[in-house]
Amino acid sequence: MSLNGLDAPKVTEAYEAVIKDNGGWLLLRYVTRDEIDLLNAGTGGYTEARDAVTQYEEKSPLYGLVQYRRKQVLLKYLPEGTSRLLQARVTVHVQAIIERFAHDTLISLASATELNETTLSSLLSSLKPSASVKSSDSSLRTRRLAEIAEETGEGPNQEPATDQSTVKEKNEENAEAQLLDSIKAPINPPKTSKTTQIVHIKQ
């Protein structure tokens, strides 16, 4: 159940205009069960896009993209009264939309009035700023490098860590060597006085 029409020239042209213009927007509609086409596009921001959705009277889904505060917001419009068959189709096709258009977040709408300042501001406030993410990645990288330096003993003013097991092994080896030396050393017998007896043999 692939979605056709995403690479059509006018769709590509409208998408490029959206990402270049703060306030750009586009809307896509179904022309067959598995094909979409450009419904409308403009540069008047989310209010103009909302008006276009309001004027769309068919009980059929719409997809869109709006640039709001330098962020790309994908739109999935599923009007009330949409058949279950179309709802199931949208669940599959929206993945193709997500993969096709670069975006920062996605908003699902059941009515055009939901596309407003409050909704968009709340949605964007929940996003993590890209700068803070980069800063976090940099801090993590720096911390990891410091850990590696400590492990190898190559950090500034850092002496190699002493391995306690190595010290213990060396102490045991020294004790064993001393014991072997003491065993191998010759044992001097105690000095005893010798008495020489002279025996006179009478002839």
Side-chain angles (χ1 to χ4, degrees):
M1 195 187 294
S2 60
L3 183 61
N4 301 314
L6 288 175
D7 294 324
K10 57 182 178 180
V11 173
T12 301
E13 183 180 351
Y15 169 64
E16 292 176 350
V18 170
I19 61 178
K20 291 178 181 178
D21 194 333
N22 186 26
W25 62 273
L26 65 83
L27 290 175
L28 306 173
R29 66 184 177 94
Y30 280 97
V31 291
T32 67
R33 58 183 298 174
D34 294 319
E35 183 178 359
I36 55 93
D37 191 16
L38 182 68
L39 173 64
N40 209 337
T43 58
Y46 75 90
T47 56
E48 192 175 64
R50 180 177 60 201
D51 293 341
V53 175
T54 302
Q55 295 170 10
Y56 186 71
E57 298 180 352
E58 297 182 25
K59 296 296 182 182
S60 178
L62 292 176
Y63 304 105
L65 183 67
V66 176
Q67 184 175 157
Y68 176 75
R69 295 182 183 177
R70 302 294 179 183
K71 298 293 184 181
Q72 314 301 328
V73 181
L74 272 182
L75 309 177
K76 182 184 72 174
Y77 173 62
L78 202 62
E80 296 180 3
T82 302
S83 68
R84 292 185 177 180
L85 179 60
L86 278 177
Q87 292 181 29
R89 191 175 299 156
V90 167
T91 302
V92 177
H93 286 170
V94 72
Q95 297 302 319
I97 298 292
I98 290 173
E99 294 175 3
R100 173 64 177 85
F101 301 119
H103 61 284
D104 296 286
T105 187
L106 182 147
I107 181 173
S108 298
L109 308 171
S111 67
T113 57
E114 295 177 5
L115 185 57
N116 55 57
E117 178 82 17
T118 302
T119 302
L120 291 172
S121 297
S122 176
L123 190 64
L124 295 187
S125 65
S126 64
L127 297 177
K128 294 181 179 180
S130 57
S132 64
V133 173
K134 291 180 181 179
S135 175
S136 176
D137 292 343
S138 177
S139 298
L140 181 60
R141 192 179 301 110
T142 302
R143 185 165 60 252
R144 180 56 186 154
L145 289 174
E147 291 175 355
I148 294 173
E150 291 179 0
E151 292 174 0
T152 58
E154 297 178 355
N157 300 324
Q158 179 75 24
E159 296 183 358
T162 302
D163 190 339
Q164 297 299 325
S165 61
T166 303
V167 174
K168 183 177 179 181
E169 290 177 0
K170 288 183 178 180
N171 290 338
E172 291 178 351
E173 291 175 359
N174 292 337
E176 184 177 355
Q178 291 176 0
L179 180 60
L180 290 174
D181 290 342
S182 64
I183 293 174
K184 293 178 181 179
I187 301 176
N188 296 324
K191 296 180 179 180
T192 56
S193 58
K194 295 182 179 180
T195 303
T196 302
Q197 294 182 355
I198 300 174
V199 178
H200 296 280
I201 301 175
K202 295 181 180 180
Q203 294 180 353

